[in-house]
């Protein structure tokens, strides 16, 4: 099999975004930042890197927050050994990152695979998360139902990408990128230059090899834990907003209404919002609406704190 994209693609430029490389125990984590104020940690979806937040970071910064978007292990411009990936390694990386940055508490926004690490962090270290927004991923505590199986057929790539040799080849070839950003998962197609950027990033050799391990060692084991009910008794200690695309084929509005029929099962302040005209890639399809939902949620909590609703 021929390998491609041995050279890491050039870092995309977003006006006002600064970049730094934070030393962790076994390498450097690339972190993009913008703005000042209370920190908001942004965790991107599978293979999308910090660049997923390119249109959200300016809005968060303009609202008076400091947007912090790291490249998680196995993706982007971080140089952390992808061979060490396991079910919780990215969460442990985040704990180390926050320590290096001197941050004891953050607001948290996550999408797709980044949301798995976010949920682990929120459940295991609730005192570090002031509030969180989870995009396009249901609660880990949800009760699995057989009625969900037809929708999960769209997620066949998780098993395929976990296969040694085949998974990395599909990533390098660009076939997976075309699948991810196809009408199966999106309502509004990406601009050609955006698709090209994602294809280049996901097709990079180290990213392609890491994708195999992420699926085999993280995604599939976590899915098994969700289905078996390992998280069913856990509750979210912080206010949490779940956002879904109104036309997400993997998590339809009807399914999400059932999952969130009693949100108090997951925590004392758990909310659900949908964004019209979007599928799974809510941030890319409707960045303005996504930013507005995030900022409005934070503002509602600040207003509640002023009224004594939150400590």
């Amino acid at each position: 099999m021929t390998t491609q994209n041995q050279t890491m693609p050039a870092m995309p430029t977003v006006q006002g975004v600064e970049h730094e490389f934070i030393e962790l125990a076994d390498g450097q984590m690339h972190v993009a930042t913008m703005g000042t104020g209370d920190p908001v940690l942004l965790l991107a979806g599978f293979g999308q890197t910090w660049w997923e937040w390119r249109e959200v970071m300016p809005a968060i910064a303009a609202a008076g927050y400091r947007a912090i978007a790291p490249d998680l292990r196995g993706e982007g411009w971080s140089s952390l050994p992808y061979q060490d990936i396991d079910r919780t390694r990215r969460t442990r990386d985040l704990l180390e990152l926050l320590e290096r940055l001197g941050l004891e508490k953050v607001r948290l926004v996550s999408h797709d695979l980044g949301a798995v690490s976010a949920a682990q962090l929120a459940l295991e270290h609730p005192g570090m998360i002031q509030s969180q927004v989870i995009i396009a991923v249901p609660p880990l505590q949800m009760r699995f139902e057989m009625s969900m199986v037809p929708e999960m057929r769209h997620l066949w790539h998780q098993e395929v990408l976990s296969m040694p040799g085949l998974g990395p080849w599909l990533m390098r070839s660009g076939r997976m990128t075309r699948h991810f950003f196809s009408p199966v998962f999106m309502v509004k197609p990406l601009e050609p230059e955006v698709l090209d950027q994602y294809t280049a990033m996901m097709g990079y050799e180290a990213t392609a090899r890491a994708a195999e391990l992420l699926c085999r060692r993280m995604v599939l084991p976590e899915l098994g834990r969700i289905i078996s009910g390992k998280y069913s008794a856990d509750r979210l200690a912080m206010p949490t907003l779940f956002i879904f695309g109104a036309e997400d084929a993997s998590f339809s509005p009807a399914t999400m209404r059932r999952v969130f029929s009693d949100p108090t099962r997951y925590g004392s302040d758990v909310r659900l919002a949908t964004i019209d005209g979007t599928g799974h890639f809510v941030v890319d399809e409707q960045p303005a609406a996504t930013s507005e939902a995030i900022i409005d949620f934070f503002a509602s909590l600040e207003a509640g704190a002023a009224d004594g609703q939150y400590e």
Side-chain angles (χ1 to χ4, degrees):
M1 295 181 182
T2 303
T3 59
Q4 302 174 1
N5 296 321
Q6 293 295 319
T7 302
M8 184 67 192
M11 184 87 71
T13 300
V14 176
Q15 186 176 2
V17 171
E18 299 178 349
H19 301 272
E20 57 183 324
F21 291 85
I22 306 298
E23 292 286 346
L24 302 188
D26 61 346
Q28 292 183 328
M29 176 174 279
H30 167 253
V31 181
T33 62
M34 185 176 185
T36 58
D38 291 344
V40 179
L41 187 64
L42 302 163
L43 306 182
F46 182 80
Q48 291 188 270
T49 78
W50 71 272
W51 196 64
E52 176 181 1
W53 308 106
R54 62 196 175 277
E55 296 185 67
V56 174
M57 294 178 75
I60 288 177
Y65 301 99
R66 179 188 177 199
I68 303 171
D71 283 336
L72 301 177
R73 185 177 295 260
E75 296 176 348
W77 290 264
S78 291
S79 55
L80 299 167
Y82 66 82
Q83 296 89 345
D84 294 337
I85 286 170
D86 61 26
R87 189 180 66 84
T88 61
R89 185 55 194 256
R90 286 178 157 195
T91 301
R92 302 198 303 273
D93 289 340
L94 290 170
L95 289 170
E96 190 175 354
L97 173 66
L98 294 178
E99 181 182 5
R100 294 288 192 273
L101 295 176
L103 299 176
E104 297 181 354
K105 202 161 195 173
V106 297
R107 292 172 173 83
L108 188 56
V109 179
S110 59
H111 171 238
D112 188 74
L113 189 53
V116 175
S117 296
Q120 291 174 349
L121 187 63
L123 291 175
E124 293 295 327
H125 302 275
M128 301 183 70
I129 311 302
Q130 183 170 343
S131 60
Q132 67 169 334
V133 178
I134 293 180
I135 302 172
V137 173
L140 299 187
Q141 310 99 306
M142 76 173 185
R143 183 180 297 111
F144 178 77
E145 302 172 358
M146 289 304 297
S147 61
M148 298 176 182
V149 172
E151 293 178 0
M152 294 180 69
R153 73 186 186 278
H154 299 296
L155 305 179
W156 57 264
H157 58 266
Q158 296 175 350
E159 288 79 8
V160 173
L161 286 175
S162 71
M163 297 179 183
L166 178 59
W169 177 76
L170 288 170
M171 291 291 288
R172 290 192 304 264
S173 70
R175 287 171 170 81
M176 278 293 97
T177 310
R178 292 192 293 273
H179 167 65
F180 295 147
F181 299 109
S182 72
V184 173
F185 295 105
M186 300 193 76
V187 176
K188 181 181 178 181
L190 295 177
E191 295 294 333
E193 61 273 18
V194 174
L195 180 59
D196 288 346
Q197 182 68 53
Y198 278 136
T199 300
M201 292 189 294
M202 293 185 185
Y204 177 55
E205 179 68 18
T207 304
R209 292 187 179 277
E212 173 198 327
L213 301 182
L214 282 167
C215 289
R216 188 165 74 246
R217 297 180 184 174
M218 181 178 175
V219 176
L220 296 181
E222 199 69 331
L223 179 60
R225 291 170 65 86
I226 294 169
I227 292 174
S228 66
K230 292 289 187 182
Y231 296 103
S232 60
D234 292 332
R235 287 173 58 80
L236 295 166
M238 68 294 300
T240 302
L241 171 66
F242 287 86
I243 298 177
F244 287 88
E247 299 180 53
D248 191 331
S250 299
F251 304 108
S252 69
T255 297
M256 288 304 99
R257 282 195 295 271
R258 291 199 303 274
V259 170
F260 288 94
S261 60
D262 180 13
T264 60
R265 288 181 49 221
Y266 310 122
S268 60
D269 187 353
V270 173
R271 313 177 192 184
L272 173 66
T274 58
I275 294 182
D276 293 334
T278 62
H280 180 73
F281 292 94
V282 179
V283 179
D284 287 281
E285 294 180 83
Q286 296 289 350
T290 303
S291 300
E292 182 179 7
I294 293 168
I295 294 166
D296 285 352
F297 174 62
F298 291 161
S300 73
L301 298 177
E302 291 172 4
D307 293 339
Q309 184 177 352
Y310 300 102
E311 294 182 0

